[in-house]
């Protein structure tokens, strides 16, 4: 009787080596690796601990939530962009300086493209996550504006940072699917986004120049109304 051929068993998957660096860095790297495989809302600290090779107690000592881990990743991106700044763009117009800063941010994000894609998909279905990520993005874009030597202080700066966060998010939607080595589509999308932002910023500047005069006239009008009874 002929022997049945034995089915070959698939080779067991080798566990990925834990990331190197400090405990904090290991946790961030582990989260980014997991985001390339599953949705943000499906990742718990048990997964992060297993991937990072750390205990839950160590993870808790460093972070209170997975969102805090992602926030630390964004802060590290900010640091890398700020550290790579040079004085070569100092004489360029603000739009060109900001273009340079944001392209350096995209370059820093390149190793984590799949993680970015995953987070963006989750945010589309999770308003709470989208709101939290927007707050992180506005904070980061405040630093990007400052790196480009564009005023990011006060209420006007907050509006600028919020607008830039929305514009940059639209660019990232192009970037995650841009397979061109030179990122031609991304460059074009960023240029168009900054052109829109420049128009909005011009309108904001016009509004801010107009508003103080209106406020002064209103204060004078109220003061005159208050003084009229006394004069009577």
């Amino acid at each position: 009787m002929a022997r049945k051929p034995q089915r070959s068993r698939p080779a067991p998957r080798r566990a990925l080596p834990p990331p190197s660096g400090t405990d904090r860095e290991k946790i961030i790297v582990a989260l980014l690796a997991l985001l390339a495989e599953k949705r943000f809302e499906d990742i718990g600290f048990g997964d992060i601990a297993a991937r990072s090779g750390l205990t839950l107690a160590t993870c808790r000592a460093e972070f209170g939530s997975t969102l805090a881990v992602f926030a630390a990743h964004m802060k590290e991106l900010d640091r890398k962009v700020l550290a790579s700044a040079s004085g070569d763009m100092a004489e360029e117009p603000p739009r060109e300086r900001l273009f340079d800063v944001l392209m350096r941010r995209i370059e820093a994000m390149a190793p984590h493209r799949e993680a970015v894609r995953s987070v963006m998909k989750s945010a589309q279905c999770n308003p709470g996550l989208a709101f939290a990520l927007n707050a992180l993005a506005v904070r980061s874009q405040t630093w990007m504006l400052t790196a480009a030597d564009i005023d990011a202080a006060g209420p006007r700066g907050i509006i600028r940072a919020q607008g830039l966060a929305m514009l940059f998010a639209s660019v990232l939607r192009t970037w995650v699917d841009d397979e061109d080595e030179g990122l031609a589509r991304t460059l074009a999308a960023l240029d168009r986004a900054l052109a829109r932002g420049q128009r909005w910023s011009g309108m904001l500047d016009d509004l801010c120049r107009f508003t103080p005069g209106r406020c002064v006239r209103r204060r004078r009008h109220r003061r005159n109304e208050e003084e009229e009874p006394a004069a009577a």
Side-chain angles (χ1 to χ4, degrees), residues 149-169:
D149 197 21
I150 297 173
D151 184 19
R156 189 186 310 186
I158 294 174
I159 295 173
R160 279 183 176 147
Q162 177 62 78
L164 185 57
M166 295 171 63
L167 291 173
F168 192 63

Side-chain angles (χ1 to χ4, degrees), residues 31-46:
L31 175 64
L32 295 173
L34 288 164
L35 281 171
E37 302 169 4
K38 56 176 67 177
R39 298 179 303 176
F40 185 92
E41 55 268 35
D42 293 336
I43 299 173
F45 267 106

Side-chain angles (χ1 to χ4, degrees), residues 28 32 69-84 101-102 104-112 116 140-141 143-144 168 172 175:
I28 295 171
L32 295 173
V69 181
F70 194 77
H73 164 62
M74 291 188 67
K75 183 178 180 180
E76 178 61 15
L77 286 176
D78 297 343
R79 189 199 64 78
K80 288 181 179 179
V81 175
L82 298 173
S84 65
V101 168
L102 294 180
R104 281 191 272 123
R105 188 175 187 86
I106 288 174
E107 289 170 2
M109 295 169 65
H112 316 298
V116 175
S140 288
Q141 294 305 334
W143 285 103
M144 299 302 99
F168 192 63
L172 291 183
W175 172 69

Side-chain angles (χ1 to χ4, degrees), residues 174-185:
T174 298
W175 172 69
V176 292
D177 294 320
D178 189 355
E179 302 298 334
D180 179 59
E181 187 175 347
L183 298 178
R185 290 174 54 209

Side-chain angles (χ1 to χ4, degrees), residues 12-33:
R13 292 180 61 183
R14 293 188 301 172
L16 294 174
S20 59
T22 65
D23 290 345
R24 191 174 184 84
E25 291 168 343
K26 289 178 181 179
I27 293 169
I28 295 171
V29 171
L31 175 64
L32 295 173

Side-chain angles (χ1 to χ4, degrees), residues 125-221:
C125 306
N126 187 332
L129 176 62
F131 184 81
L133 291 174
N134 176 74
L136 297 178
V138 171
R139 184 188 306 165
S140 288
Q141 294 305 334
T142 299
W143 285 103
M144 299 302 99
L145 287 166
T146 305
D149 197 21
I150 297 173
D151 184 19
R156 189 186 310 186
I158 294 174
I159 295 173
R160 279 183 176 147
Q162 177 62 78
L164 185 57
M166 295 171 63
L167 291 173
F168 192 63
S170 71
V171 174
L172 291 183
R173 285 192 286 272
T174 298
W175 172 69
V176 292
D177 294 320
D178 189 355
E179 302 298 334
D180 179 59
E181 187 175 347
L183 298 178
R185 290 174 54 209
T186 301
L187 290 169
L190 179 57
D191 190 55
R192 289 192 302 269
L194 291 182
R196 295 197 304 272
Q198 190 174 33
R199 291 194 295 271
W200 294 348
S201 181
M203 293 171 61
L204 175 62
D205 290 342
D206 290 341
L207 179 62
C208 289
R209 282 194 296 268
F210 178 63
T211 301
R214 293 177 61 189
C215 292
V216 169
R217 287 194 297 271
R218 287 178 180 174
R219 285 197 296 270
R220 288 175 180 171
H221 179 68

